[in-house]
């Protein structure tokens, strides 16, 4: 069973961003599955790297969209993005150093962050876009 299941409640109302969120959810579900099935450190590292890369790509796209909207909360949204990127980098660093920090607690934290971020912060720019 996937850790996160996409549903229309997660939609921000912007097709490209919804598709990117679906991709991101897929990567997180892949990582959770690899953990549950006790995959090798190499596989876990590869998936965490993919999550890190996709996080950078998605945040860049999202921030560019918000800039185009003249979104008033862009600066604070960027800080939230930086904090998450730092968390992912810390997870990757710990994984590479042999301090395997990935587990149920970390996956719940990632899931909670993503769902709260989409449902809270991202829905706001979605609403701003629909009002343009």
């Amino acid at each position: 069973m996937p850790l996160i299941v996409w549903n229309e409640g997660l939609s921000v109302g912007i097709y490209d961003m919804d598709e990117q969120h679906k991709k991101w959810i897929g990567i997180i579900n892949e990582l959770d599955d690899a953990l549950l099935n006790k995959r090798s450190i190499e596989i876990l590292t590869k998936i965490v790297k993919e999550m890190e890369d996709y996080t950078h790509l998605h945040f860049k796209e999202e921030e560019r969209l918000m800039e185009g909207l003249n979104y008033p909360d862009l600066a604070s949204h960027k800080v939230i993005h930086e904090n998450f990127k730092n968390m992912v980098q810390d997870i990757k660093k710990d994984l590479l150093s042999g301090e395997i920090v990935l587990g149920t607690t970390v996956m719940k934290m990632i899931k909670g962050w993503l769902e709260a971020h989409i449902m809270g912060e991202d829905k706001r720019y979605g609403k701003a876009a629909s009002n343009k």
Side-chain angles (χ1 to χ4, degrees):
M1 180 172 175
L3 180 68
I4 306 172
V5 177
W6 172 264
N7 64 70
E8 287 305 310
L10 291 171
S11 174
V12 297
I14 301 171
Y15 178 81
D16 289 344
M17 292 298 106
D18 285 347
E19 291 303 305
Q20 287 186 18
H21 288 154
K22 289 175 187 177
K23 168 82 173 157
W24 207 10
I25 287 169
I27 294 167
I28 291 168
N29 284 336
E30 182 182 6
L31 180 60
D32 187 58
D33 183 66
L35 284 166
L36 292 173
N37 290 297
K38 298 179 183 4
R39 300 287 187 240
S40 70
I41 193 77
E42 291 81 15
I43 291 173
L44 294 174
T45 302
K46 176 184 163 285
I47 299 169
V48 168
K49 174 73 171 121
E50 182 182 4
M51 182 173 64
E52 177 185 43
D53 291 345
Y54 200 76
T55 296
H56 286 278
L57 174 106
H58 172 67
F59 288 165
K60 181 179 174 184
E61 293 289 321
E62 198 173 78
E63 290 167 8
R64 185 171 41 212
L65 172 75
M66 288 185 280
E67 285 171 1
L69 294 170
N70 292 317
Y71 185 65
D73 295 326
L74 176 59
S76 63
H77 203 107
K78 282 183 173 183
V79 169
I80 293 166
H81 285 171
E82 284 303 312
N83 290 338
F84 186 77
K85 286 192 281 189
N86 291 337
M87 181 177 71
V88 172
Q89 287 175 342
D90 288 345
I91 290 169
K92 181 180 146 196
K93 183 175 69 176
D94 289 346
L95 188 61
L96 290 172
S97 72
E99 297 177 36
I100 300 179
V101 296
L102 288 170
T104 306
T105 303
V106 172
M107 292 309 298
K108 284 182 181 177
M109 181 177 67
I110 291 170
K111 175 185 187 245
W113 185 93
L114 181 64
E115 288 175 335
H117 184 73
I118 293 172
M119 297 295 292
E121 299 298 324
D122 289 354
K123 288 256 186 186
R124 288 189 197 114
Y125 75 70
K127 186 174 181 179
S130 69
N131 291 334
K132 292 276 178 183

